[in-house]
Amino acid sequence: MADAHAAPHHDYHLVNPSPWPLIASIAVTIMMVGAVVWMKGLVGDDAGAVAGALLAKGDKALFFAGFVGVLVAAFGWWADVIKESQAGDHTPVVSLGLRYGMMLFIASEVMFFAAFFWMFFEMAVFNEARAHIPEIGNWADTAAAWSTWPPKGIETLDAWQLPLLNTVILLLSGTTVTWAHHALQVGDRKAAKLGLAITVVLGVLFTAVQVYEYQHILHENLFFNEEAANSGLYGSIFFMATGFHGFHVLLGTIFLLVCLLRLMAGQMTPQKHFGFEAAAWYWHFVDVVWLFLFAFVYVTFG
């Protein structure tokens, strides 16, 4: 049986036992529990010294411990996948499976953002219907605040300043990553490295601009203030949709940076570079989502 496993007569790759799925699951659980501790806490003020130090509201240690574990698991797991590819384990059938997997992952991400857009459109398009809600308890004040969109007291952002700048940055980055991908396909590694490096820089620049925009919103109390009482849903939707997109930009930038480092290390060929191809797919997906965010969150309903 050992000989049969060593010399398989099929096109599939049977992976070796790996600790990374278990480590990743444990790390994610710790990180999520840590997020609850950070925001809400799991023990009262009368808890013991150890429990109070780890599980009291506002404590960040558990969250960041889990986060580091997730990073370690991701690095180790993906490093193993790269080693499998270099060892020749990624046959045409396996490569096709990897492509299907990436497509399904991006499709699941599309559904994730569709939920945010659905919520935003429901609040923006059908806001007048809330004026007819019966006055039941405190709900009447909330319904009145949501009867206009953006709600009264909300100061919206000028779509033609920082949001437009970030739109230009992402569109340009989509061009440079396509250039880099084409250059690698034709064997021009120098141009591929240059195009990929520019894309990474543009990704970092987008994140920097978004951080500055968030600081402006929070410092000036544009979304959360006394005049906009009971209207916190606008800010919550805005930060969740644009913030989660920003998180995707950060992940995509890291994805492309790893591809750049692999290119500089002499890896990837015109015939075999699915890691780069998957990163380019992901980056174009991020670009398209931002265009929808800019068109609807910032311009149409902003």
Side-chain angles (χ1 to χ4, degrees), residues 87-286:
D89 293 329
H90 288 181
T91 64
V93 172
V94 174
S95 297
L96 183 62
L98 290 173
R99 281 171 166 76
Y100 285 157
M102 191 64 191
M103 291 176 186
L104 291 173
F105 169 70
I106 292 177
S108 70
E109 294 287 274
V110 170
M111 295 299 101
F112 201 92
F113 278 100
F116 293 138
F117 281 111
W118 187 296
M119 178 168 56
F120 188 86
F121 290 157
E122 199 278 335
M123 297 301 299
V125 176
F126 302 105
N127 55 292
E128 293 183 359
R130 291 176 182 80
H132 305 293
I133 294 177
E135 297 185 6
I136 303 175
N138 295 330
W139 171 249
D141 295 333
T142 304
W146 294 351
S147 63
T148 59
W149 195 266
K152 183 180 179 181
I154 297 292
E155 296 183 46
T156 58
L157 298 168
D158 187 348
W160 309 111
Q161 294 185 6
L162 293 180
L164 177 62
L165 174 60
N166 261 349
T167 302
V168 173
I169 290 172
L170 272 192
L171 289 177
L172 182 59
S173 71
T175 303
T176 55
V177 76
T178 301
W179 168 40
H181 186 207
H182 176 73
L184 181 59
Q185 286 178 316
V186 298
D188 189 351
R189 300 183 66 86
K190 183 178 180 180
K193 294 175 186 177
L194 178 59
L196 197 48
I198 294 174
T199 307
V200 171
V201 171
L202 290 172
V204 173
L205 183 58
F206 177 95
T207 301
V209 172
Q210 189 170 50
V211 169
Y212 178 79
E213 179 185 73
Y214 278 15
Q215 288 179 334
H216 171 69
I217 294 171
L218 297 174
H219 182 266
E220 300 296 332
N221 294 320
L222 300 184
F223 297 163
F224 304 102
N225 53 66
E226 293 182 1
E227 189 178 356
N230 301 313
S231 303
L233 185 62
Y234 180 91
S236 299
I237 296 176
F238 177 90
F239 282 121
M240 191 64 194
T242 61
F244 202 74
H245 173 269
F247 178 68
H248 280 69
V249 172
L250 179 61
L251 290 181
T253 303
I254 297 173
F255 201 172
L256 292 170
L257 178 60
V258 171
C259 291
L260 176 60
L261 295 176
R262 291 187 63 196
L263 268 177
M264 295 175 66
Q267 301 178 17
M268 298 188 181
T269 65
Q271 296 77 26
K272 195 177 182 65
H273 57 267
F274 174 68
F276 188 5
E277 194 173 356
W281 292 355
Y282 187 81
W283 196 253
H284 289 310
F285 157 72
V286 168

